[in-house]
Amino acid sequence: DAGVIQSPRHEVTEMGQEVTLRCKPISGHNSLFWYRQTMMRGLELLIYFNNNVPIDDSGMPEDRFSAKMPNASFSTLKIQPSEPRDSAVYFCASSLVAGINTGELFFGEGSRLTVL
Amino acid sequence: GENVEQHPSTLSVQEGDSAVIKCTYSDSASNYFPWYKQELGKGPQLIIDIRSNVGEKKDQRIAVTLNKTAKHFSLHITETQPEDSAVYFCAATGGGQNFVFGPGTRLSVLP
């Protein structure tokens, strides 16, 4: 398997522009996560989906952030409008959750976002 | 909610020595404690995990110990090698998939 695939790997944009980050989870996994990593705040969970349904979006910073998972093999994280403080590395991860057992998270290589 | 602290933030050891990283958590309901290794420019990768019904787990040169009473768990790496240099994250979750990560430890193994 190719693992979790994220695109773009790097994005540089100007304040106010819309940013869309994309993720393809590992085939067969039923949970998908979006994390943000910064030096100041570390790894923060933004939102996670189970069977394509958003379960917990309490980590989404504000209304400028939105995430969708239209099918089991694709998810997007959108920031509109973007601000300099959104600059970070955004990770997508997927896992296979069976019953009550917590599954291993498989992370993609991340999308580094710079907002000027 | 859960809060995970991790110490030290940076650690330098000589090749061949042991390294120990410690984490504490706040939620007594947490029952799953993974450790992730992140190399430069890559995403975190699971290296070992432990569940609350076990006190210790070992996998070759790495081991994790858990003290549920004190709410802390530790990562032990023996016979360190240069390729062990990375950032290590502990995490805790009380079920479901809401992992809370520690702030990370940057380990440098000096040749």
Side-chain angles (χ1 to χ4, degrees):
Chain A
D1 200 311
V4 175
I5 300 173
Q6 292 187 246
S7 65
R9 290 295 313 278
H10 303 274
E11 174 94 3
V12 180
T13 191
E14 292 189 346
M15 182 173 64
Q17 296 298 305
E18 177 179 295
V19 173
T20 299
L21 307 178
R22 298 173 177 79
C23 175
K24 177 178 167 48
I26 292 173
S27 176
H29 282 188
N30 57 5
S31 292
L32 182 140
F33 307 76
W34 283 101
Y35 282 88
R36 179 172 66 178
Q37 185 175 41
T38 61
M39 287 295 293
M40 290 297 294
R41 300 173 70 92
L43 270 167
E44 301 175 278
L45 177 65
L46 299 178
I47 185 171
Y48 79 90
F49 296 84
N50 187 252
N51 293 322
N52 311 339
V53 176
I55 301 301
D56 183 353
D57 66 353
S58 59
M60 295 287 263
E62 48 198 271
D63 292 345
R64 297 184 298 106
F65 285 68
S66 62
K68 293 182 179 179
M69 191 165 186
N71 58 62
S73 58
F74 184 67
S75 177
T76 60
L77 178 68
K78 187 175 292 188
I79 308 172
Q80 166 64 17
S82 58
E83 296 183 3
R85 59 191 168 124
D86 301 329
S87 298
V89 181
Y90 291 82
F91 286 102
C92 176
S94 70
S95 72
L96 176 61
V97 179
I100 62 170
N101 288 327
T102 306
E104 174 184 351
L105 292 179
F106 291 82
F107 285 83
E109 297 206 318
S111 294
R112 180 176 294 277
L113 173 64
T114 302
V115 183
L116 303 174
Chain B
E2 176 66 274
N3 180 52
V4 177
E5 297 185 354
Q6 184 172 346
H7 299 280
S9 57
T10 60
L11 178 61
S12 292
V13 299
Q14 290 294 135
E15 182 177 355
D17 287 350
S18 296
V20 180
I21 303 170
K22 299 181 179 180
C23 287
T24 61
Y25 61 98
S26 61
D27 189 352
S28 56
S30 288
N31 58 11
Y32 176 65
F33 309 92
W35 285 89
Y36 283 79
K37 175 184 181 182
Q38 186 177 24
E39 296 176 344
L40 195 61
K42 296 187 179 275
Q45 185 173 16
L46 180 72
I47 55 171
I48 196 167
D49 57 12
I50 192 167
R51 298 187 187 273
S52 60
N53 58 345
V54 176
E56 183 174 357
K57 184 176 178 180
K58 192 172 182 180
D59 183 4
Q60 299 183 346
R61 294 186 299 108
I62 60 174
V64 57
T65 59
L66 170 65
N67 184 327
K68 282 222 74 181
T69 304
K71 290 192 279 192
H72 66 71
F73 55 113
S74 299
L75 177 71
H76 304 253
I77 306 174
T78 59
E79 300 171 25
T80 53
Q81 301 167 4
E83 53 264 37
D84 295 329
S85 295
V87 180
Y88 291 80
F89 294 94
C90 61
T93 181
Q97 295 290 297
N98 196 348
F99 292 80
V100 176
F101 283 86
T105 296
R106 183 174 299 277
L107 173 65
S108 299
V109 179
L110 309 174

